[in-house]
C-alpha cells in the first residue's frame, strides 16, 4: 500500500510538471483575451466533453502511476547505501529513469514537444553520469537473491497448483495459435447477393500531377498511379469546394455545396440532416456501409449520413484539446501498444495528433477492422469509403523529418499515404471485397497549392495580377486546389484517359448508372453520369468553384496553426454532445464572403464584389468582362 501511495504521489508530480509545460505553451499561443471570451467554458463542461475529459485524466493517472510504481520497485532493489536519505535517493532514481524515458521517447517520437537533443554533448554527459550512478548502485548479489526468490516462488506455485498452471498455459497456447491463425488466414465471406461491392479509396490533398499512370515507378505515388493506368481515368476532374467535408458531401449527395448545405468544414449537422446520401440509398438496398478515416477533426462524417460503421478516431472538442494535450512521453509510448485506442482514443491512430501518428500502425489497425467489417456484413454487399489524410498540412508524422522545402515535405507524405493505400487494397483483395464484380474508385477530395504554384497574369494595359494562396479552399482562382485524382474501375469498363470536365458531384449519378436494380426515391442531382456518352451533351461545361472559411493566417508562406486557431475561435460553438460547429450567425456571414469562380478547362471566370474577370490559363492573361443575362445562364449549366 505504501508503494501505491508513493507511486500516486510521483505520478501526480510528473503529470503536473508536464501539464504545466503544455499549459504554458497553450497560454502563450492564446494570449489574446478575445479568444478566451469566445470560448464558453460553461458550455464546454456541460457537454459530453466533460466525460471525455475525466476519462482522459483517469487514463493519464493510471499510466503514470504504473510507471512510478515500476521505478519505485526497481529503485528499492537497486538501493545499496544508507549514506543518502531514502527520500532523496528515491527522487534521484526517479529523475534518472524519467531522463531515460525522455531519451527513449526522443528517438521514437522526434517531433514531440518533449524531446531532448540526442546529438548534444550535454545529453551524452548526463547519460554517462546517470548510467554510472545506476551501475554503482547495482548490487549483484542482491539482484541474484531477487531472481532466485522470484523463481522459487513461481516453482512453489507450480508444485502447489500444477493443474491450474498447466491449464493456464494450455489456454495461453490455444489463444496464441488462434491469433496467429487469424492473422495469417483472414476470413473470406461468400456474398449472398449479386450486387457489386463499391470501394472508394481516397487520399487527402493528392494532386494529379504527382501521379504518373504512364510511368508509375517514376511517381511519388506508384501504387495509385498503377491503379489509374488500369482505370477509366478522368484527368480533368475537380472538386467544387477544396475542403474535405464539403467535398465528401458533394460526392455523397451529387450536389453542389450551396444545395447540400454543408458549405464549410464543421457545419452544424442540422443544416443537412434531411439530405439523402449515397450511403443512405445503398443501406436501404441491403448494403453494409463503412466509412474509415485517420482524421475526423474537420470532416465529421458520421453514421447519420448512412454509414453502418465509422472507423478511426472519434471527433469533437475532445479531439481538438485532448488530442493536443496528449503529447506526453508516456502517453505517446502507450500509443505503440496494440489496441491503445481503447485507452487513448484521441491520440491513437489519429492523423490530427501528427506528433505521434504512425502510418503503419493505422494501416494495421484499419486492416484488422476491415476484416471484422466483412464478417459483420455476413454476406451483404459492401460499400466501403476510405479517406487517408497524411498529405495535409503540417506534412508531418511521428518519425518524419521536416525540411525547409514545403514541396519535399508534401511529397514525403504522399509516399507514405500511397503505401498505406496499397496495403489496404491488398487486404480488401485478400478478403474478396475487391473482386471481378466490384467497383473501385480512386480519388482525392481536393488538390493542394504549394509555393511553386504562384501564377502571374498580365492585363492588356500591362498591369499584372499574382494568383497565390497556399493549401486548399483558400483561393478559388488556384486551379491546383480544385484539380483532383479520379479513376473508376468496373467490369466492362475499359482503361482509358478521359479529358471531359467532371466533378465530384458526378460520382453518385455515375455509380447509379453502373448499378442495376437500385431502389431509391426521386433525386435531384447537380451532377451527371459521366460514363453515359449518349446523354452527355457536347455543350461546353463550366464547373463552379468556391472557397471555404479562411482567416488571414492561412495566406502566409509559413502557415501558423496557432494563429489560425486564434483568429477562428470566435466562429465556433460547442454542442451538448461535445462537438464543435460553426455558429449560425457567423455561418451566414461567411457565406456572403465566399469567392466564386467558373472553369471550363482553359479559362477561369470570377465574380467578386460585382466585378467580373476572365483569366486565360493558356497565355496567362486576364481581362475585365461585362456580364449579360445569357452569359450567367450559360455558367449555371
Amino acid at each position: 500500500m505504501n508503494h501505491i501511495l508513493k507511486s500516486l504521489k510521483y505520478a501526480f508530480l510528473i503529470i503536473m510538471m508536464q501539464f504545466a509545460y503544455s499549459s504554458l505553451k497553450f497560454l502563450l499561443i492564446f494570449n489574446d483575451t478575445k479568444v478566451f471570451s469566445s470560448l464558453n467554458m460553461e458550455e464546454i463542461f456541460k457537454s459530453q466533453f466533460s466525460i471525455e475529459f475525466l476519462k482522459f485524466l483517469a487514463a493519464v493517472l493510471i499510466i503514470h502511476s504504473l510507471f512510478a510504481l515500476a521505478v519505485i520497485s526497481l529503485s528499492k532493489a537497486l538501493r545499496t547505501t544508507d549514506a543518502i536519505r531514502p527520500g532523496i535517493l528515491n527522487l534521484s532514481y526517479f529523475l534518472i529513469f524519467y531522463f531515460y524515458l525522455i531519451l527513449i521517447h526522443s528517438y521514437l517520437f522526434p517531433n514531440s514537444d518533449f524531446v531532448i537533443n540526442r546529438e548534444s554533448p550535454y545529453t551524452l554527459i548526463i547519460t554517462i553520469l546517470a548510467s554510472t550512478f545506476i551501475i554503482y548502485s547495482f548490487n549483484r548479489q542482491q539482484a541474484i537473491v531477487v531472481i532466485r526468490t522470484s523463481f522459487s516462488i513461481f516453482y512453489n506455485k507450480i508444485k502447489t497448483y500444477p493443474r491450474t498452471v498447466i491449464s493456464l498455459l494450455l489456454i495461453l497456447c490455444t489463444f496464441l495459435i488462434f491469433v496467429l491463425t487469424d492473422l495469417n488466414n483472414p476470413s473470406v465471406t461468400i456474398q449472398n447477393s449479386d450486387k457489386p461491392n463499391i470501394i472508394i479509396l481516397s487520399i487527402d490533398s493528392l494532386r494529379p500531377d504527382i501521379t504518373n499512370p504512364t510511368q508509375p515507378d517514376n511517381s511519388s505515388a506508384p501504387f495509385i498511379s498503377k491503379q489509374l493506368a488500369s482505370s477509366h481515368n478522368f484527368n480533368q476532374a475537380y472538386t467544387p469546394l477544396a475542403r474535405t467535408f464539403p467535398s465528401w458531401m458533394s460526392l455523397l449527395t451529387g450536389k453542389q455545396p450551396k444545395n447540400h448545405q454543408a458549405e464549410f468544414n464543421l457545419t452544424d449537422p442540422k443544416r443537412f440532416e434531411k439530405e439523402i446520401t449515397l450511403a443512405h440509398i445503398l443501406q436501404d438496398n441491403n448494403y453494409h456501409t463503412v466509412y474509415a478515416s485517420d482524421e475526423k477533426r474537420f470532416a465529421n462524417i458520421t453514421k447519420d449520413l448512412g454509414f453502418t460503421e465509422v472507423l478511426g478516431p472519434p471527433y469533437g472538442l475532445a479531439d481538438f484539446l485532448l488530442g493536443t494535450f496528449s503529447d506526453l512521453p508516456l502517453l505517446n509510448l502507450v500509443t505503440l501498444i496494440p489496441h491503445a485506442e481503447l485507452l487513448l482514443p484521441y491520440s491513437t491512430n489519429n492523423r490530427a495528433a501528427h506528433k505521434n501518428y504512425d502510418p503503419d500502425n493505422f494501416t494495421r489497425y484499419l486492416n484488422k477492422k476491415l476484416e471484422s467489417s466483412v464478417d459483420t456484413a455476413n454476406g451483404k454487399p459492401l460499400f466501403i469509403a476510405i479517406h487517408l489524410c497524411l498529405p495535409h498540412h503540417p506534412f508531418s508524422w511521428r518519425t518524419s523529418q521536416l525540411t525547409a522545402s514545403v514541396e519535399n515535405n508534401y511529397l514525403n507524405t504522399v509516399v507514405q499515404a500511397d503505401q498505406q493505400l496499397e496495403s489496404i487494397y491488398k487486404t480488401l483483395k485478400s478478403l474478396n471485397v475487391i473482386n471481378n464484380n466490384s467497383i473501385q474508385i480512386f480519388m482525392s477530395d481536393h488538390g493542394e497549392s504549394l509555393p511553386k504554384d504562384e501564377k502571374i497574369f498580365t492585363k492588356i494595359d500591362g498591369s499584372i495580377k499574382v494568383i497565390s494562396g497556399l493549401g486548399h479552399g483558400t483561393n478559388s482562382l488556384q486551379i491546383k486546389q480544385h484539380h483532383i485524382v479520379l479513376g473508376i474501375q468496373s467490369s466492362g469498363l475499359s482503361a482509358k484517359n478521359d479529358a471531359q470536365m467532371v466533378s465530384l458531384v458526378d460520382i453518385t449519378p455515375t455509380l447509379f448508372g453502373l448499378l442495376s436494380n437500385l431502389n431509391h426515391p426521386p433525386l435531384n442531382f447537380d451532377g451527371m453520369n459521366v460514363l453515359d456518352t449518349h446523354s452527355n451533351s457536347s455543350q461546353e461545361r463550366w464547373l463552379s468553384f468556391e472557397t471555404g472559411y479562411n482567416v488571414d493566417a492561412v495566406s502566409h508562406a509559413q502557415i501558423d496553426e496557432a494563429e489560425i486557431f486564434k483568429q477562428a475561435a470566435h466562429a465556433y460553438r460547442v454542442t451538448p454532445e461535445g462537438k464543435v460547429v460553426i455558429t449560425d450567425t457567423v455561418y451566414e456571414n461567411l457565406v456572403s464572403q465566399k469567392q466564386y469562380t467558373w472553369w471550363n478547362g482553359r479559362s477561369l471566370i470570377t465574380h467578386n464584389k460585382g466585378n467580373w474577370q476572365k483569366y486565360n490559363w493558356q497565355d496567362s492573361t486576364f481581362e475585365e468582362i461585362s456580364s449579360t443575362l445569357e452569359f450567367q445562364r450559360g455558367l449555371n449549366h
Side-chain angles (χ1 to χ4, degrees):
M1 181 61 70
N2 189 36
H3 280 188
I4 294 175
L5 291 176
K6 280 185 178 180
S7 67
L8 287 172
K9 180 177 69 175
Y10 282 116
F12 188 75
L13 177 64
I14 297 177
I15 293 168
M16 289 299 100
M17 289 171 53
Q18 294 174 147
F19 276 167
Y21 174 76
S22 298
S23 299
L24 178 62
K25 186 177 180 181
F26 186 81
L27 289 172
L28 289 174
I29 291 173
F30 294 97
N31 55 6
D32 191 334
T33 55
K34 290 186 293 184
V35 174
F36 288 110
S37 65
S38 70
L39 299 175
N40 189 326
M41 302 308 292
E42 182 181 359
E43 186 181 71
I44 288 173
F45 283 101
K46 278 187 176 180
S47 72
Q48 182 70 20
F49 170 77
S50 58
I51 297 175
E52 299 298 329
F53 181 67
L54 291 175
K55 288 180 181 177
F56 174 71
L57 287 183
V60 171
L61 186 60
I62 291 170
I63 292 168
H64 284 79
S65 296
L66 290 174
F67 171 75
L69 184 61
V71 172
I72 290 170
S73 301
L74 187 58
S75 61
K76 183 181 179 182
L78 289 172
R79 191 168 63 239
T80 61
T81 178
D82 295 325
I84 305 175
R85 293 176 59 183
I88 297 175
L89 196 60
N90 283 340
L91 181 60
S92 299
Y93 281 127
F94 198 83
L95 291 175
I96 288 172
F97 283 109
Y98 187 72
F99 169 76
Y100 284 147
L101 172 70
I102 296 293
L103 188 60
I104 294 169
H105 177 259
S106 299
Y107 278 94
L108 295 175
F109 296 87
N111 295 313
S112 169
D113 288 337
F114 289 87
V115 294
I116 54 180
N117 186 353
R118 296 165 293 167
E119 309 300 328
S120 170
Y122 298 106
T123 302
L124 179 60
I125 292 170
I126 295 172
T127 304
I128 292 172
L129 290 175
S131 301
T132 302
F133 184 82
I134 293 295
I135 293 170
Y136 174 78
S137 303
F138 186 73
N139 188 319
R140 208 179 326 180
Q141 291 180 347
Q142 187 174 343
I144 292 171
V145 171
V146 171
I147 294 170
R148 283 178 177 174
T149 303
S150 301
F151 274 109
S152 177
I153 293 171
F154 182 67
Y155 179 71
N156 289 332
K157 290 288 184 183
I158 293 177
K159 285 176 63 178
T160 309
Y161 307 104
R163 291 183 180 178
T164 304
V165 173
I166 292 171
S167 299
L168 289 173
L169 288 173
L170 287 173
I171 291 171
L172 179 61
C173 290
T174 304
F175 174 75
L176 289 174
I177 292 170
F178 173 77
V179 170
L180 291 174
T181 303
D182 184 52
L183 287 173
N184 293 324
N185 299 294
S187 58
V188 177
T189 300
I190 304 300
Q191 288 184 228
N192 299 319
S193 171
D194 58 355
K195 295 178 181 177
N197 295 328
I198 303 167
I199 302 95
I200 298 178
L201 298 174
S202 171
I203 295 180
D204 197 289
S205 308
L206 180 63
R207 295 164 52 124
D209 59 1
I210 300 299
T211 65
N212 190 346
T214 56
Q215 294 179 306
D217 293 334
N218 291 335
S219 166
S220 296
F223 171 74
I224 198 167
S225 295
K226 289 175 184 175
Q227 296 304 320
L228 293 175
S230 57
S231 303
H232 191 109
N233 182 31
F234 297 93
N235 49 36
Q236 289 293 325
Y238 300 88
T239 180
L241 202 166
R243 291 282 165 86
T244 300
F245 187 62
S247 291
W248 272 90
M249 283 298 292
S250 288
L251 182 158
L252 292 169
T253 62
K255 296 181 179 180
Q256 296 285 349
K258 67 178 181 180
N259 293 328
H260 60 58
Q261 294 288 294
E263 296 171 89
F264 302 97
N265 286 337
L266 298 178
T267 295
D268 191 333
K270 291 180 181 179
R271 287 185 170 270
F272 51 82
E273 61 185 352
K274 295 182 180 179
E275 283 296 323
I276 299 174
T277 70
L278 171 65
H280 283 134
I281 293 167
L282 293 175
Q283 205 173 48
D284 291 341
N285 283 265
N286 202 39
Y287 271 79
H288 185 80
T289 56
V290 181
Y291 176 79
S293 178
D294 53 0
E295 181 176 346
K296 303 196 187 81
R297 186 167 288 185
F298 290 99
N300 305 153
I301 295 178
T302 66
K303 292 183 178 180
D304 292 337
L305 292 175
F307 290 99
T308 312
E309 295 181 76
V310 176
L311 306 177
Y315 82 97
L317 179 64
D319 183 18
F320 280 95
L321 295 182
L322 302 185
T324 301
F325 275 96
S326 63
D327 178 27
L328 304 177
L330 278 172
L331 301 192
N332 286 342
L333 291 169
V334 168
T335 62
L336 300 178
I337 299 172
H339 306 296
E341 69 274 3
L342 300 176
L343 189 63
L344 298 169
Y346 293 100
S347 56
T348 305
N349 296 322
N350 187 354
R351 168 66 182 86
H354 64 94
K355 294 173 184 177
N356 61 26
Y357 174 77
D358 189 294
D360 294 334
N361 282 354
F362 177 78
T363 305
R364 283 190 290 269
Y365 154 83
L366 183 56
N367 285 339
K368 199 65 183 172
K369 287 291 185 181
L370 290 172
E371 289 179 24
S372 177
S373 297
V374 172
D375 289 337
T376 304
N378 197 26
K380 288 183 177 181
L382 287 149
F383 171 47
I384 298 178
I386 296 172
H387 186 60
L388 302 175
C389 298
L390 196 56
H392 188 288
H393 182 82
F395 310 132
S396 174
W397 68 95
R398 178 172 72 88
T399 57
S400 64
Q401 295 182 348
L402 289 174
T403 69
S405 168
V406 175
E407 284 85 357
N408 288 342
N409 295 333
Y410 169 74
L411 288 176
N412 289 338
T413 60
V414 170
V415 171
Q416 290 290 321
D418 188 66
Q419 292 172 2
Q420 286 182 288
L421 202 69
E422 182 176 15
S423 175
I424 293 166
Y425 178 89
K426 288 179 178 178
T427 295
L428 292 173
K429 202 161 187 178
S430 70
L431 293 169
N432 201 36
V433 174
I434 294 178
N435 52 48
N436 293 332
N437 193 39
S438 60
I439 299 171
Q440 290 81 243
I441 296 177
F442 297 89
M443 56 163 277
S444 54
D445 56 340
H446 51 72
E448 184 81 3
S449 62
L450 301 169
K452 67 178 183 180
D453 296 315
E454 186 176 275
K455 191 173 178 65
I456 299 175
F457 288 86
T458 306
K459 202 174 180 180
I460 193 169
D461 62 3
S463 60
I464 64 171
K465 186 161 187 178
V466 179
I467 304 300
S468 58
L470 298 177
H472 48 267
T474 59
N475 189 341
S476 64
L477 296 174
Q478 264 289 1
I479 298 300
K480 296 293 184 181
Q481 295 188 11
H482 294 270
H483 198 187
I484 64 169
V485 170
L486 181 58
I488 302 177
Q489 296 177 355
S490 177
S491 60
L493 192 62
S494 60
K496 63 175 289 189
N497 286 323
D498 192 332
Q500 69 172 304
M501 298 289 291
V502 301
S503 168
L504 282 180
V505 299
D506 299 324
I507 288 182
T508 290
T510 301
L511 281 174
F512 279 16
L514 291 172
L515 299 169
S516 58
N517 303 320
L518 197 65
N519 297 317
H520 59 84
L523 297 169
N524 185 22
F525 292 132
D526 293 324
M528 62 183 183
N529 180 358
V530 293
L531 295 176
D532 186 358
T533 55
H534 297 291
S535 63
N536 289 350
S537 172
S538 58
Q539 182 181 0
E540 184 177 47
R541 189 182 188 188
W542 290 83
L543 299 178
S544 65
F545 301 155
E546 60 188 88
T547 52
Y549 174 30
N550 296 296
V551 293
D552 292 339
V554 301
S555 62
H556 299 157
Q558 295 296 326
I559 294 177
D560 186 341
E561 291 179 316
E563 189 64 26
I564 292 172
F565 199 176
K566 182 192 295 186
Q567 294 179 16
H570 73 282
Y572 301 102
R573 66 179 178 85
V574 180
T575 69
E577 296 77 26
K579 311 306 181 187
V580 181
V581 298
I582 297 177
T583 60
D584 292 337
T585 52
V586 171
Y587 192 97
E588 299 304 329
N589 185 45
L590 292 177
V591 170
S592 68
Q593 297 175 14
K594 276 180 173 286
Q595 178 190 41
Y596 294 93
T597 59
W598 293 263
W599 169 250
N600 69 348
R602 300 178 306 280
S603 298
L604 187 147
I605 295 174
T606 181
H607 179 232
N608 191 23
K609 297 179 181 180
N611 297 320
W612 292 80
Q613 293 178 326
K614 182 177 181 181
Y615 295 82
N616 189 314
W617 226 254
Q618 294 176 326
D619 61 12
S620 298
T621 61
F622 81 100
E623 60 182 316
E624 305 287 340
I625 59 174
S626 59
S627 168
T628 64
L629 181 61
E630 290 76 20
F631 177 64
Q632 291 184 52
R633 283 176 179 170
L635 289 178
N636 290 330
H637 287 296

